[in-house]
Amino acid sequence: IHTYIVIIGGTGDLARKYLWGSALQLFVQHYNENCTFSFYAGARVTQDTGHKALGHILENVQCGARDQKCEKLRPTFIENTKYVMLKTDEHYKELCDQYGSGTKTDENIQQIFYLSVPSSAYQSVSKNIHTNCRRDFISTTRVVLEKPFGHDKHSAEVQAAVIGQYFNDNEVRRVDHYLAKSVSKQILSFRSVNRDNVESLLSNEFVDRVEIVMKEQIGVKGRIDFYDQTGVIRDVMQNHLTELLALVAMELPMNMSAENIEQYKLRLLSQVTPVNKDAILTGQYMEYIKEAREEVKNTSQSMLTPTFSAVLLNINSARWRRVPFILTSGKHMDERSSHIRILFREREFCVSGCVDGNSTFTKYPRQLVFQIGHGHVPSAGILVSRSLFKPKWPPGMNELPMTSKDSRIHGQSPGDFYYAVPTNDIPAYTTVVSDLYNDVRETFVSANRMLALWDIRDNVLQDTQSGAPRLYKKYEAENLHFVAEGMKLKYLSEDLISHFVQQEESRSQHVIIPHTFRNRTLVCKSTQKLLSDLALYIYACALTAVNNRGDFHLALSGGRTPVVLFKEIVSNYPMFPSEQTHIWQVDERCASHDSEHSNFLSILSNLVNFVHIPYFNIHPMPVDFAGKICDPENRGDNLYEKLINQNVPLGIFDLILLGLGTDGHTASLFPGVKQIEDSIKFVSLISKKDNSNIDRMTLLPPLINKAREVTVLVTGVEKFDILHKISSINSVTTEFPITLISPVSGNLSWFIDLEAWTGYS
Ligand SMILES: O=C1O[C@H](COP(=O)(O)O)[C@@H](O)[C@H](O)[C@H]1O
């Protein structure tokens, strides 16, 4: 058998950290003269760059200590691992045309494509594989997908349908690496070998509650771009923790075939019932918003992204009815632990002589804990209270005496547990890759199960985004302690932190600054801090645009304020992706480009001259036709519109920077000018004269409102009045043209300095 393994995104983070090491282990395990491999790292960068990046990764892929077999085979593995540029259809064809060249004619050949790329690329990559890499002589094709599998049930269905155009269900493997953790792998076997004891205990007659926990000490700095869209519920609770729930709560099949396990899990998931929204708590670590602003953008959504959550679920089955399953997960927690803890009811009570009148006798707590990772145990394993029963251990588990530097583990003294650990604690991704190769289906999430998991989130957790999460300090659980009361979860203490934060804000600034203005994101700071935040924001938008689409289309307003901003960008962001940036104008005065009135001249001399934007990426508004300034016959506005349509994909700017005049105008959309109401045109000449008695050309609201990001920069005490006038106007009125600006699906952010906000200089 010969196996082609192509890791697309093969020089990215996941591949570097986990996949190549796992590929080496696979090779060491299976390679012999009848079982050969070709590995490819595919990515969009050129052959040369990719080859170097892969070389660097492979240098760091090392064997375990004293693993001589691995040391011996590692050079052959590296020899068989190549970089291929996979950007176009043609590249895929070239790659797959090589297939078969080094293999024997009667050989069984299989191919595995690991898509370690953003899920937005799944469709094009799948199409390329399907079109170019299906060959008659290939017995098996697998494509491997990483989450996110959609954002909700609907998008998950769409994603599944898109993939389904190219691959049948049996060819697709969806990874949930929690299913591949060594202890997760033992849950069903443990239940099975202890069927006589455990199965009768696992029910509402004996179980008090089940806690499923994944606490981490790391935060999400560096990946907020991804995290802001997901939050803790979508990131880990909807998938990893709910999969763990299914492993402990599903009925146990007599025959543990992959098909049976799948059917039993599906049945269990369909029994998880919606809970009241009082059964959900959310939190956010205090630095999150700051990190989000630094990394991506300041969206109003970031305020609501939970980095901690607890949810109480019910299972509507005879076995589990009324047993609370409490799922908890968070970033920057006080400890790192992932576990499933099944707590059994107290069966002995203190009746007289009880300490402090406490009538519950907790001498022998009874629990069964699957410690999936970390925690206070020496290593991941299974713990059974000695007062519960003496367990049998499944093959692959080794009983050990429990020793720990902590005096209590899950509330018990360490010696009170039977404890066993997997004989081989294999890293999750090594198991993922090995189970892909060996076709162990239960390590992966089927399309049906993925949709059933979304059902739970969609039905049960949909309200979580509606309230602001409670703030907590990094590594301090204090503000997050909670209790379960019946079917509700409640924080234990008053929300001390946000009370404190608000008081501090008002003390230091004498004003409380809300997070939003006119229902859109507000950033309000001293002028210098504001400009540096906005410069960073522009930089972040540029990187995102270039990463996602290749180019960054930026439209700039004229005026004094942007000049200071341009200087901020020029001096602080030498790595600005200028080569891929296109500069457009929001508006222009009808004056020649070398006139002191020209906005273009200002953009040129304060920004463009310093950041080396290719001249063909600079798009001045055509107001000057060989000295004929804004001559209506030249139709400069139509020409600019055409230019935009030709160059800006779908006419959607990545970022439009606007200002606000004291009369409520923005761009050159002045109060009372009829052209600004045009609902079809994108660009227009404006005959309204301003103070300098000069006509203008301007972008119009229908175009501005298509943009991905629109920012309105407002500085100076003279803007106080207009800000406060428009703060209470909810309707759209040409009396204050700024109210016409409301991006349809993009973000609008207000950057207002303290002078403008407070009216004090
Ligand atoms: O899938 C994810 O899991 C990691 C935690 O994985 P672990 O194996 O280190 O427990 C988590 O940090 C990440 O946010 C999430 O996307």
Side-chain angles (χ1 to χ4, degrees):
I1 181 163
H2 185 84
T3 308
Y4 290 97
I5 297 187
V6 186
I7 302 180
I8 305 177
T11 52
D13 231 31
L14 181 77
R16 178 173 54 79
K17 284 195 195 141
Y18 305 114
L19 299 181
W20 286 115
S22 305
L24 169 63
Q25 291 308 319
L26 179 77
F27 187 75
V28 173
Q29 284 270 314
H30 295 276
Y31 174 73
N32 61 43
E33 62 175 24
N34 296 318
C35 192
T36 52
F37 293 85
S38 305
F39 294 96
Y40 293 96
R44 294 167 64 83
V45 295
T46 58
Q47 195 61 36
D48 207 31
T49 315
H51 176 73
K52 279 192 199 125
L54 179 66
H56 191 62
I57 292 173
L58 294 180
E59 262 170 40
N60 291 307
V61 168
Q62 296 293 341
C63 300
R66 291 188 296 278
D67 188 345
Q68 287 175 356
K69 182 174 176 201
C70 174
E71 290 299 352
K72 197 161 154 229
L73 286 172
R74 189 172 165 269
T76 321
F77 166 74
I78 292 178
E79 236 167 67
N80 290 348
T81 305
K82 308 230 163 14
Y83 176 79
V84 273
M85 183 176 178
L86 289 180
K87 196 170 176 187
T88 62
D89 193 55
E90 199 49 39
H91 291 137
Y92 282 82
K93 186 167 177 328
E94 272 170 33
L95 165 71
C96 298
D97 279 350
Q98 299 171 29
Y99 280 10
S101 52
T103 55
K104 300 170 206 142
T105 42
D106 57 345
E107 203 164 22
N108 182 359
I109 296 178
Q110 57 173 356
Q111 53 180 351
I112 300 175
F113 290 90
Y114 201 118
L115 273 58
S116 179
V117 292
S119 57
S120 53
Y122 285 175
Q123 172 159 25
S124 59
V125 172
S126 302
K127 183 167 182 238
N128 278 330
I129 297 171
H130 174 74
T131 320
N132 298 298
C133 299
R134 294 229 185 244
R135 298 283 189 278
D136 289 345
F137 57 82
I138 289 180
S139 63
T140 313
T141 297
R142 299 266 179 266
V143 283
V144 188
L145 308 179
E146 281 282 340
K147 71 183 164 78
F149 308 127
H151 188 71
D152 53 16
K153 171 126 189 236
H154 174 68
S155 51
E157 278 170 334
V158 172
Q159 189 195 76
V162 164
I163 308 284
Q165 288 174 282
Y166 308 107
F167 304 103
N168 64 42
D169 258 5
N170 188 36
E171 292 178 316
V172 181
R173 298 286 178 270
R174 291 179 177 79
V175 177
D176 182 322
H177 78 283
Y178 259 63
L179 291 175
K181 299 253 178 191
S182 299
V183 173
S184 311
K185 282 261 175 196
Q186 290 289 355
I187 295 176
L188 291 181
S189 318
F190 176 84
R191 286 180 59 186
S192 180
V193 297
N194 291 288
R195 196 182 277 273
D196 296 346
N197 282 322
V198 176
E199 288 311 291
S200 56
L201 284 177
L202 289 185
S203 79
N204 46 16
E205 197 184 337
F206 299 103
V207 174
D208 182 64
R209 63 184 190 276
V210 179
E211 299 174 357
I212 305 182
V213 173
M214 176 178 168
K215 290 199 208 169
E216 297 177 279
Q217 293 205 291
I218 52 162
V220 287
K221 207 168 176 193
R223 57 194 285 256
I224 291 188
D225 195 10
F226 156 79
Y227 201 82
D228 230 25
Q229 325 277 324
T230 51
V232 66
I233 297 172
R234 288 191 175 86
D235 184 35
V236 300
M237 294 177 88
Q238 179 268 349
N239 39 64
H240 304 327
L241 297 200
T242 314
E243 286 283 359
L244 294 181
L245 177 147
L247 283 173
V248 287
M250 63 187 263
E251 295 299 320
L252 192 65
M254 288 309 282
N255 166 354
M256 296 275 223
S257 67
E259 290 73 26
N260 278 354
I261 294 176
E262 175 69 10
Q263 286 318 312
Y264 282 52
K265 277 190 187 174
L266 283 174
R267 188 172 322 141
L268 183 278
L269 293 176
S270 72
Q271 292 167 333
V272 179
T273 57
V275 288
N276 191 303
K277 78 169 190 264
D278 291 344
I280 300 166
L281 301 173
T282 57
Q284 186 183 74
Y285 63 81
M286 285 177 73
E287 291 76 0
Y288 181 79
I289 292 294
K290 186 167 160 275
E291 291 172 4
R293 280 182 191 154
E294 280 167 10
E295 261 176 51
V296 221
K297 52 196 170 178
N298 174 21
T299 60
S300 43
Q301 185 188 307
S302 303
M303 312 286 172
L304 299 180
T305 306
T307 58
F308 165 86
S309 182
V311 57
L312 188 155
L313 296 178
N314 277 307
I315 297 173
N316 189 14
S317 68
R319 189 202 266 251
W320 290 116
R321 203 163 292 129
R322 289 182 310 281
V323 175
F325 282 75
I326 303 162
L327 278 53
T328 310
S329 183
K331 300 279 182 187
H332 278 320
M333 297 278 98
D334 54 332
E335 59 173 358
R336 183 175 186 195
S337 180
S338 40
H339 58 259
I340 308 167
R341 189 176 173 214
I342 304 170
L343 288 114
F344 294 86
R345 294 229 179 96
E346 291 297 332
R347 308 210 42 100
E348 294 169 36
F349 303 94
C350 171
V351 180
S352 72
C354 320
V355 181
D356 297 335
N358 181 353
S359 69
T360 310
F361 188 71
T362 50
K363 190 166 161 204
Y364 300 118
R366 295 170 173 84
Q367 47 186 328
L368 163 59
V369 183
F370 296 100
Q371 188 71 45
I372 310 292
H374 309 280
H376 298 272
V377 293
S379 126
I382 303 178
L383 293 80
V384 183
S385 297
R386 287 182 182 270
S387 51
L388 193 61
F389 66 94
K390 182 167 177 19
K392 293 180 199 142
W393 300 111
M397 293 293 290
N398 243 356
E399 180 158 359
L400 293 179
M402 167 73 87
T403 53
S404 170
K405 56 181 178 5
D406 295 292
S407 60
R408 312 292 286 170
I409 291 179
H410 294 298
Q412 273 188 263
S413 105
D416 285 349
F417 285 110
Y418 295 111
Y419 171 57
V421 299
T423 323
N424 263 331
D425 192 6
I426 301 168
Y429 271 97
T430 303
T431 303
V432 165
V433 171
S434 154
D435 286 359
L436 265 175
Y437 179 79
N438 294 312
D439 204 19
V440 180
R441 302 240 7 206
E442 57 272 29
T443 308
F444 302 93
V445 186
S446 68
N448 283 342
R449 198 155 91 241
M450 183 260 298
L451 295 177
L453 289 164
W454 276 121
D455 270 337
I456 296 177
R457 204 214 85 89
D458 281 6
N459 293 339
V460 177
L461 306 177
Q462 60 199 351
D463 285 324
T464 45
Q465 303 282 0
S466 60
R470 173 177 277 213
L471 295 176
Y472 61 94
K473 291 187 189 166
K474 281 184 181 177
Y475 316 120
E476 281 185 26
E478 213 179 324
N479 212 31
L480 295 181
H481 289 316
F482 65 93
V483 288
E485 260 181 29
M487 288 299 156
K488 290 184 183 169
L489 296 182
K490 262 181 31 183
Y491 280 121
L492 203 52
S493 64
E494 285 290 299
D495 188 354
L496 295 168
I497 291 180
S498 59
H499 186 62
F500 166 80
V501 169
Q502 274 179 13
Q503 277 191 348
E504 281 297 290
E505 254 175 19
S506 62
R507 225 178 274 138
S508 64
Q509 296 170 358
H510 307 287
V511 278
I512 291 181
I513 296 165
H515 294 309
T516 56
F517 177 63
R518 293 177 54 77
N519 291 329
R520 301 287 191 148
T521 306
L522 168 66
V523 185
C524 181
K525 296 192 170 174
S526 65
T527 320
Q528 192 43 49
K529 280 202 188 130
L530 186 79
L531 291 172
S532 76
D533 269 23
L534 181 52
L536 176 65
Y537 185 82
I538 296 174
Y539 179 58
C541 286
L543 294 185
T544 310
V546 170
N547 272 341
N548 292 347
R549 293 173 292 282
D551 284 323
F552 174 50
H553 289 275
L554 168 68
L556 297 171
S557 294
R560 275 174 307 112
T561 328
V563 170
V564 199
L565 177 69
F566 297 159
K567 294 199 167 133
E568 187 73 29
I569 296 175
V570 168
S571 45
N572 291 322
Y573 297 97
M575 303 300 282
F576 197 89
S578 44
E579 298 279 329
Q580 293 89 349
T581 297
H582 285 250
I583 299 286
W584 299 86
Q585 285 192 270
V586 168
D587 62 338
E588 182 57 289
R589 295 190 176 93
C590 289
S592 70
H593 287 321
D594 54 4
S595 142
E596 54 166 328
H597 299 297
S598 165
N599 284 344
F600 181 67
L601 183 65
S602 161
I603 295 173
L604 200 64
S605 45
N606 294 298
L607 180 72
V608 172
N609 282 351
F610 299 94
V611 286
H612 307 298
I613 294 171
Y615 75 90
F616 42 82
N617 284 6
I618 299 167
H619 310 282
M621 277 187 157
V623 289
D624 181 352
F625 287 89
K628 282 189 161 183
I629 306 293
C630 289
D631 183 342
E633 295 212 337
N634 285 325
R635 303 302 326 168
D637 46 358
N638 289 356
L639 188 64
Y640 206 51
E641 187 164 326
K642 199 165 158 200
L643 211 63
I644 291 171
N645 283 330
Q646 283 167 349
N647 288 279
V648 183
L650 303 172
I652 299 176
F653 281 100
D654 296 302
L655 175 61
I656 298 185
L657 187 66
L658 298 177
L660 174 68
T662 48
D663 56 355
H665 86 262
T666 190
S668 285
L669 309 169
F670 289 95
V673 172
K674 73 171 183 346
Q675 290 97 322
I676 70 174
E677 293 174 64
D678 197 313
S679 59
I680 296 174
K681 268 174 78 65
F682 282 175
V683 185
S684 180
L685 279 169
I686 298 285
S687 51
K688 165 84 168 63
K689 314 287 179 192
D690 67 357
N691 296 343
S692 53
N693 217 19
I694 299 175
D695 288 350
R696 309 277 194 119
M697 187 182 288
T698 184
L699 305 187
L700 292 174
L703 178 65
I704 298 176
N705 288 335
K706 280 170 60 157
R708 273 186 192 88
E709 302 286 338
V710 177
T711 60
V712 188
L713 175 60
V714 190
T715 61
V717 67
E718 66 279 11
K719 302 287 171 66
F720 175 78
D721 286 339
I722 184 64
L723 277 179
H724 288 266
K725 269 186 207 149
I726 61 169
S727 68
S728 53
I729 298 175
N730 292 325
S731 53
V732 170
T733 162
T734 52
E735 196 187 338
F736 299 111
I738 186 70
T739 60
L740 304 178
I741 304 304
S742 175
V744 182
S745 52
N747 294 310
L748 170 62
S749 309
W750 292 87
F751 283 77
I752 302 178
D753 76 354
L754 281 170
E755 291 190 7
W757 186 258
T758 59
Y760 295 108
S761 48

